[in-house]
Amino acid sequence: MVSRTRFDDSECPVARSVDAIGDWWSLLIVRDAFDGSRRFGEFQRSLGVAKNILTARLRALVAGGVLESVPASDGSAYREYVLTSKGRALFPVIVALRQWGEQNFFAPGEPHSQLVDRRQGQQLRALEVLSADGRPLDPDDTTVHKLSPR
Amino acid sequence: MVSRTRFDDSECPVARSVDAIGDWWSLLIVRDAFDGSRRFGEFQRSLGVAKNILTARLRALVAGGVLESVPASDGSAYREYVLTSKGRALFPVIVALRQWGEQNFFAPGEPHSQLVDRRQGQQLRALEVLSADGRPLDPDDTTVHKLSPR
DNA sequence: CACTGCTGGTTGCAAGATGAAACCAATAGT
DNA sequence: ACTATTGGTTTCATCTTGCAACCAGCAGTG
């Protein structure tokens, strides 16, 4: 069930990422994990996903090294699912999706959950794609080089 | 088939984004669009996806305002699919996924396609999540506020 | 114009994925 | 000791996916 290369386009890092995450539910699981969810039941109630699906996705995320299963922090005999460092590295992905959603799918003034800096309670700065020397880049300012050697 | 709210968690911008994109194929279509693909056949050859699936995804992306269908630029009677401004705004999402893939799914020195600054041919700077005043933020430095009023 | 191949699809069907619900074992609370 | 909760598994009906065959409209060729 590790399901190699659904997208055989695998010299592209985007395709490998997509393949590693698995599906949309998995991404929402990761989002909830960033937001503090750790237990099976928390994910299930938060997402409203069927339990068999959740089971499969959690297992896949653990197998893929995005989550790991650790003994529960409250001393009970249950287990918890926490982000690995690889999983935490998905932070910019989630933030990018969040900002795209905020900017395109909410009417002005429509309420929505908001990700804020814990220190100051402020909204985050919009992500910027920058060149090596710090210039902001549009899509048109970039090209893809196929198969770059080291 | 506009398929509203597969994820009823829809006060969350991440969920709305995910719902708007549709599925992984759609995301790879968008990636190819950033890389210059415009024609049905280009997407199909590049992705290796079944034609009926590609038809459905292109239609959904057009319906969702991510792509638009315009007369072909080469004077032929065919049509092309180009990113709208909403679609171009997905650039940070694609870049974030690409960087995550590069950093986690390629052995050092393993060749992969690379996104570079067209001006200087350099790799891009890694995306950073920043606070309003420009401090780099870890996941732990942030919290989600539910249902912020404007 | 006739012919031929490409482009951009549609349709039908088999196989796989998904989701709801029932069931269940182990744990925790009382 | 009893009961509720947690974290699943199993079953089954349904939806989605993907392959392959087919096809209509365009484009280039003689």
Side-chain angles (χ1 to χ4, degrees):
Chain A
M1 185 53 75
V2 189
S3 92
R4 281 314 66 189
T5 61
R6 212 161 19 127
F7 306 102
D8 48 347
D9 182 5
S10 44
E11 82 288 350
C12 173
V14 179
R16 287 208 191 172
S17 293
V18 153
D19 209 37
I21 295 170
D23 74 351
W24 288 138
W25 284 123
S26 305
L27 204 62
L28 295 180
I29 290 170
V30 169
R31 175 206 61 184
D32 278 1
F34 277 121
D35 192 19
S37 291
R38 305 173 139 252
R39 297 283 286 258
F40 186 96
E42 287 183 281
F43 292 113
Q44 210 238 316
R45 274 186 300 280
S46 163
L47 296 172
V49 62
K51 297 203 284 182
N52 49 354
I53 306 294
L54 180 57
T55 302
R57 291 305 170 268
L58 285 173
R59 255 199 260 288
L61 287 169
V62 169
V66 173
L67 295 179
E68 65 184 328
S69 169
V70 303
S73 53
D74 64 355
S76 77
Y78 297 117
R79 302 194 68 75
E80 295 185 340
Y81 300 91
V82 302
L83 291 164
T84 61
S85 65
K86 191 195 283 191
R88 280 192 301 278
L90 278 170
F91 195 46
V93 173
I94 301 287
V95 172
L97 279 169
R98 172 176 282 276
Q99 291 182 349
W100 189 65
E102 284 171 353
Q103 288 160 22
N104 292 282
F105 299 106
F106 288 85
E110 186 181 358
H112 56 79
S113 78
Q114 206 166 4
L115 185 66
V116 299
D117 174 11
R118 181 167 259 145
R119 285 276 264 281
Q120 324 203 325
Q122 298 270 324
Q123 277 214 73
L124 308 190
R125 180 175 293 191
L127 283 174
E128 275 188 316
V129 176
L130 300 176
S131 66
D133 56 341
R135 282 174 295 119
L137 296 178
D138 277 346
D140 298 338
D141 299 328
T142 65
T143 328
V144 173
H145 283 177
K146 304 273 173 187
L147 290 190
S148 89
R150 149 130 196 59
Chain B
M1 185 54 71
V2 189
S3 91
R4 281 315 66 187
T5 60
R6 214 160 18 126
F7 306 102
D8 48 348
D9 182 6
S10 45
E11 83 287 352
C12 173
V14 180
R16 286 208 191 173
S17 293
V18 153
D19 208 38
I21 294 170
D23 74 352
W24 287 137
W25 285 122
S26 305
L27 205 61
L28 295 181
I29 290 170
V30 170
R31 176 206 59 181
D32 278 1
F34 277 121
D35 191 19
S37 291
R38 305 172 140 250
R39 297 282 286 259
F40 186 95
E42 287 184 281
F43 291 113
Q44 210 238 316
R45 273 185 301 280
S46 163
L47 296 172
V49 62
K51 298 201 286 183
N52 51 351
I53 306 293
L54 180 56
T55 302
R57 292 305 168 270
L58 286 172
R59 255 201 261 285
L61 286 170
V62 169
V66 173
L67 295 179
E68 65 183 328
S69 170
V70 303
S73 52
D74 64 355
S76 76
Y78 298 115
R79 302 194 66 76
E80 297 186 340
Y81 299 92
V82 302
L83 290 164
T84 61
S85 65
K86 191 195 282 190
R88 279 192 302 277
L90 277 170
F91 195 46
V93 173
I94 301 288
V95 171
L97 278 169
R98 172 175 282 275
Q99 291 183 348
W100 189 66
E102 284 170 353
Q103 288 159 22
N104 291 282
F105 299 106
F106 288 85
E110 187 182 357
H112 55 80
S113 78
Q114 207 167 4
L115 185 66
V116 300
D117 174 9
R118 180 168 262 148
R119 284 275 265 280
Q120 323 203 326
Q122 298 270 324
Q123 278 212 75
L124 308 190
R125 180 174 293 191
L127 284 174
E128 276 187 316
V129 177
L130 300 176
S131 66
D133 56 343
R135 283 173 295 119
L137 295 178
D138 277 347
D140 299 339
D141 299 328
T142 63
T143 328
V144 173
H145 283 178
K146 304 273 172 187
L147 289 191
S148 87
R150 151 87 184 74

